Amino acid sequence: MGDNKNLFIALGLALLVMIGYDKLYLQPKMEAAQRELEAQDALKKADATGDALSTASPAPADDLAIAPHDDLGTAAAAPATKAVAALPDAGSVKIETPELKGSLSLRGARFDDLVLVKHSVSLEDDRPVRLLTPLADERSYFVRFGWAARGKDAGYVPGDQTVWTADNATLTPDTPVTLSWTNEAGVRFTQKIEVDKEFMFKVTQSVTNSSGEALDLAPYGLINRDGQVKTEGLYILHEGPLGVFNGTLEEKSYSDLEDDGNFETSSKGGWLGITDKYWMTVLIPDQNAELSRARFVRQATGGMLRHRVDYVESWQAVAAGSSREDVTHFYAGAKIVSAIDDYETRLDIPLFDRAIDWGWFYWLTRPIFKGLHYLFELTGNFGIAILVMTVLIKLALFPLANKSYVSMSHMKMVQPKIKALQERHKDDKARLQQEMMELYKKEKINPLAGCLPVLVQIPIFFSLYKVLYVTIEMRHQPFFGWVQDLSAPDHFTPVNLFGLIPWDPPAMIAIGVWPILMGLTMWLQQKMNPQTGMDPTQAKVMMFLPIIFTFMLAQFAAGLVIYWTWNSLLSVAQQWVIMRREEARVARSSKA
């Protein structure tokens, strides 16, 4: 009976993993690829029929990026279009920091050119990762700040076509830049832009009202991203718009906006932005500011797809002869945990660490990351850190595992008695179960004990998977030998004789060395477990489980497979020692 339960639990776990792999990995990836193809076909069709994006600004009533009230009318700055990109170059301000390099366009005061100098596209492609892209590109990605004015036309406030003047040619952590522009009524607008040595910009917008009349103004900020966004396509990873409003995290994927429509809310303080797997752009208004509207917007117009995140604060009265100031922070860069945690504390940004998708087991995933990072600082290698942490986890779970292995050892030693009972009561199943339960009680055997360590390991397994998959600290981190990226699958496979044959086999059969080792350790551990009461069909199913898991986990991060292999080896060693100890104890007892 106990073995049947163990079998059903093992089969259930295997089925759960297989279903999860299909639902969370294969299907989303196929759907994302299909959406990408459909979007590309739509754009090609639009280009072929001349249905390109209109060169005129969209109608304000239909496409306001920042209007806080229905009566704002044409006073809102209309979203930038490709027509703006065709205007003469107005110059730019260079951006140079230890982490970032790019420029700020003086036309529209757009942050539209930014690369991450310390992060390469891949191990094979050492070009720096591009985060922001100019408006002329079909996949433009930019950030802009400004003001809306109630009861005034669009030209009264600076917009996407406004040409600003700068007091400095280069923005660095030591040299801020101030942009300025004055309208025909004598109202002066400035943007003082500062940047630190990591990824945080500070934008101080100010307006000086010399027009002779009172004004109602509302500061806004927006992130604009054009084109179909290529994502990992996994349910376990959020990519797309996200934000914290009134202390609540909101996440909307690109498909959510397509299926459910745009998202809109109001909030006091908070933050909002667009996240990729490893990179993000985030607007962080003053935490005491009232956001009358914050939105996640998807637009598909004339063959052009656009995603936008924007907010606008409530109206602010600026009396004649007075001035007003508004401060916003803007994060653009890699999602480095230490940097995000530091900003969350220093700037009092609510739930800013949730910009990293820690998953359902947040309470476990974060400690595992911190432990791994600490061990990495001690050892200098994340692979070694994983091995050491596995030992620490085994020590923490030692009492539970010890009881389990003792019970399994007793189970194995009473197999002759169990077989005798099965033979004696082969025609009376009820009596057989009753006799076996009496035997378990007498021998102090818990038939479910073998499953408890596995059940405890499941949240640890998924938490470590999250850490390896979503944290940039693990990206491109080598172990030893052929494993040069712990966050990527191990495809050093005997299928092509470890690269000697010039053939790139399909991922499904490109089983690497570490997944093979994992399968072998799983098979060895299975052989050490008692298998009493198992009919031939059950035995064959159990025999194939290591093979099934080998193929499934072959597509997971190498660091996760290394963890599972090392964990299995430690379990085998622990189980072997306990079994030898129990056998010796029983032998001494029998002699006595």
Side-chain angles (χ1 to χ4, degrees):
M1 179 67 179
D3 291 316
N4 287 337
K5 289 182 179 180
N6 286 350
L7 172 65
F8 294 144
I9 290 175
L11 288 175
L13 292 175
L15 182 62
L16 180 64
V17 172
M18 287 187 286
I19 292 175
Y21 179 71
D22 180 69
K23 295 290 185 183
L24 304 182
Y25 184 81
L26 291 180
Q27 289 188 18
K29 200 147 191 172
M30 293 171 64
E31 291 171 1
Q34 181 63 30
R35 287 196 299 269
E36 176 76 17
L37 290 174
E38 290 173 355
Q40 291 176 358
D41 290 341
L43 290 175
K44 289 178 181 178
K45 183 177 180 181
D47 291 340
T49 59
D51 187 22
L53 184 67
S54 172
T55 57
S57 296
D62 182 55
D63 190 23
L64 286 181
I66 53 88
H69 304 294
D70 292 338
D71 64 347
L72 188 59
T74 57
T81 66
K82 298 307 177 185
V84 179
L87 296 175
D89 182 20
S92 61
V93 174
K94 290 183 179 180
I95 300 174
E96 293 182 359
T97 78
E99 296 279 355
L100 304 170
K101 186 176 181 180
S103 63
L104 165 69
S105 174
L106 291 178
R107 184 175 297 280
R110 288 190 308 276
F111 296 84
D112 65 354
D113 179 16
L114 210 58
V115 297
L116 311 180
V117 297
K118 292 185 178 180
H119 301 276
S120 61
V121 173
S122 67
L123 288 175
E124 296 75 26
D125 187 348
D126 61 358
R127 290 177 301 165
V129 169
R130 174 167 290 280
L131 183 62
L132 300 182
T133 308
L135 189 60
D137 192 281
E138 64 178 8
R139 296 183 183 274
S140 61
Y141 188 6
F142 63 84
V143 178
R144 189 164 64 80
F145 301 92
W147 296 85
R150 179 152 53 183
K152 302 296 183 180
D153 61 31
Y156 197 87
V157 291
D160 58 356
Q161 300 184 29
T162 301
V163 177
W164 296 71
T165 59
D167 67 349
N168 202 325
T170 305
L171 173 66
T172 72
D174 300 319
T175 56
V177 171
T178 299
L179 309 181
S180 59
W181 178 79
T182 304
N183 68 11
E184 294 180 354
V187 181
R188 180 177 175 82
F189 297 87
T190 64
Q191 291 187 10
K192 181 181 179 182
I193 303 171
E194 303 169 80
V195 64
D196 63 14
K197 294 181 179 180
E198 291 183 294
F199 308 108
M200 190 67 77
F201 293 82
K202 180 181 179 182
V203 180
T204 304
Q205 294 194 93
S206 62
V207 55
T208 303
N209 184 7
S210 302
S211 67
E213 62 174 334
L215 299 173
D216 281 338
L217 300 177
Y220 68 83
L222 65 87
I223 302 173
N224 188 94
R225 192 170 195 178
D226 290 340
Q228 188 77 23
V229 181
K230 185 178 181 181
T231 66
E232 296 285 326
L234 295 183
Y235 178 76
I236 61 170
L237 172 68
H238 174 71
E239 295 175 276
L242 81 169
V244 168
F245 309 105
N246 298 315
T248 301
L249 176 67
E250 294 285 352
E251 296 177 325
K252 300 293 181 181
S253 67
Y254 298 109
S255 59
D256 287 339
L257 296 180
E258 181 179 5
D259 297 337
D260 304 330
N262 299 334
F263 170 82
E264 182 176 323
T265 188
S266 59
S267 176
K268 180 176 182 180
W271 54 271
L272 64 165
I274 297 177
T275 181
D276 296 324
K277 182 177 180 179
Y278 293 125
W279 338 106
M280 69 177 182
T281 53
V282 173
L283 307 174
I284 309 164
D286 188 307
Q287 295 307 299
N288 293 315
E290 295 289 344
L291 308 185
S292 62
R293 190 164 80 180
R295 302 194 308 176
F296 304 155
V297 178
R298 180 185 187 274
Q299 297 172 330
T301 307
M304 172 60 72
L305 180 62
R306 168 174 294 158
H307 293 93
R308 174 161 295 183
V309 168
D310 59 52
Y311 76 88
V312 62
E313 297 181 20
S314 56
W315 290 116
Q316 301 178 11
V318 185
S322 67
S323 61
R324 181 171 285 276
E325 186 176 274
D326 181 79
V327 177
T328 301
H329 287 84
F330 160 48
Y331 187 103
K335 297 196 293 187
I336 296 177
V337 176
S338 59
I340 290 174
D341 288 346
D342 180 57
Y343 289 131
E344 179 176 20
T345 302
R346 279 197 292 120
L347 301 179
D348 194 25
I349 308 172
L351 302 180
F352 197 43
D353 67 325
R354 300 308 199 277
I356 299 172
D357 189 356
W358 295 107
W360 296 336
F361 299 111
Y362 173 91
W363 51 272
L364 184 59
T365 308
R366 289 257 7 203
I368 285 178
F369 170 81
K370 288 185 177 180
L372 278 177
H373 199 268
Y374 175 74
L375 293 172
F376 168 72
E377 291 177 342
L378 293 179
T379 64
N381 186 291
F382 266 112
I384 296 177
I386 290 173
L387 299 181
V388 174
M389 172 157 281
T390 307
V391 174
L392 296 178
I393 291 174
K394 293 294 290 185
L395 290 175
L397 299 178
F398 181 81
L400 179 63
N402 192 64
K403 290 182 64 175
S404 171
Y405 294 144
V406 167
S407 181
M408 285 193 291
S409 177
H410 290 178
M411 176 78 78
K412 195 165 187 177
M413 285 187 286
V414 300
Q415 283 190 42
K417 296 181 180 179
I418 293 175
K419 287 183 178 181
L421 288 175
Q422 290 172 339
E423 188 65 29
R424 188 183 311 154
H425 303 292
K426 59 183 177 180
D427 297 324
D428 189 349
K429 297 295 182 182
R431 181 66 184 273
L432 173 62
Q433 291 184 7
Q434 181 181 357
E435 292 286 340
M436 288 182 66
M437 294 305 297
E438 289 294 330
L439 179 63
Y440 290 157
K441 186 176 180 181
K442 178 182 177 182
E443 299 291 339
K444 297 179 180 180
I445 296 173
N446 180 0
L448 295 179
C451 299
L452 293 179
V454 176
L455 293 176
V456 173
Q457 287 286 341
I458 289 176
I460 297 174
F461 178 86
F462 281 108
S463 296
L464 181 59
Y465 175 50
K466 266 287 191 180
V467 169
L468 288 165
Y469 189 73
V470 307
T471 58
I472 194 171
E473 286 80 359
M474 301 295 170
R475 184 177 186 256
H476 296 175
Q477 286 290 338
F479 182 43
F480 293 111
W482 62 91
V483 178
Q484 294 301 306
D485 187 353
L486 288 166
S487 67
D490 174 16
H491 289 316
F492 189 65
T493 174
V495 174
N496 61 3
L497 295 182
F498 308 106
L500 294 178
I501 299 176
W503 173 52
D504 189 15
M508 189 63 187
I509 63 171
I511 310 300
V513 173
W514 275 104
I516 292 173
L517 291 175
M518 185 217 65
L520 290 174
T521 58
M522 190 174 178
W523 172 81
L524 180 60
Q525 191 173 15
Q526 186 185 86
K527 288 297 182 182
M528 296 182 68
N529 293 335
Q531 300 179 16
T532 58
M534 194 175 297
D535 60 40
T537 302
Q538 292 174 329
K540 288 181 179 179
V541 171
M542 292 296 292
M543 180 180 66
F544 278 102
L545 280 181
I547 299 175
I548 295 172
F549 273 84
T550 296
F551 276 88
M552 286 193 304
L553 291 183
Q555 307 308 316
F556 283 60
L560 191 69
V561 180
I562 291 171
Y563 159 77
W564 198 257
T565 305
W566 179 233
N567 180 71
S568 296
L569 281 174
L570 293 176
S571 298
V572 166
Q574 183 180 2
Q575 190 171 351
W576 185 85
V577 170
I578 290 173
M579 291 178 69
R580 297 289 83 76
R581 186 188 66 190
E582 290 300 308
E583 288 174 359
R585 185 185 63 80
V586 171
R588 288 195 300 269
S589 299
S590 60
K591 289 181 180 180

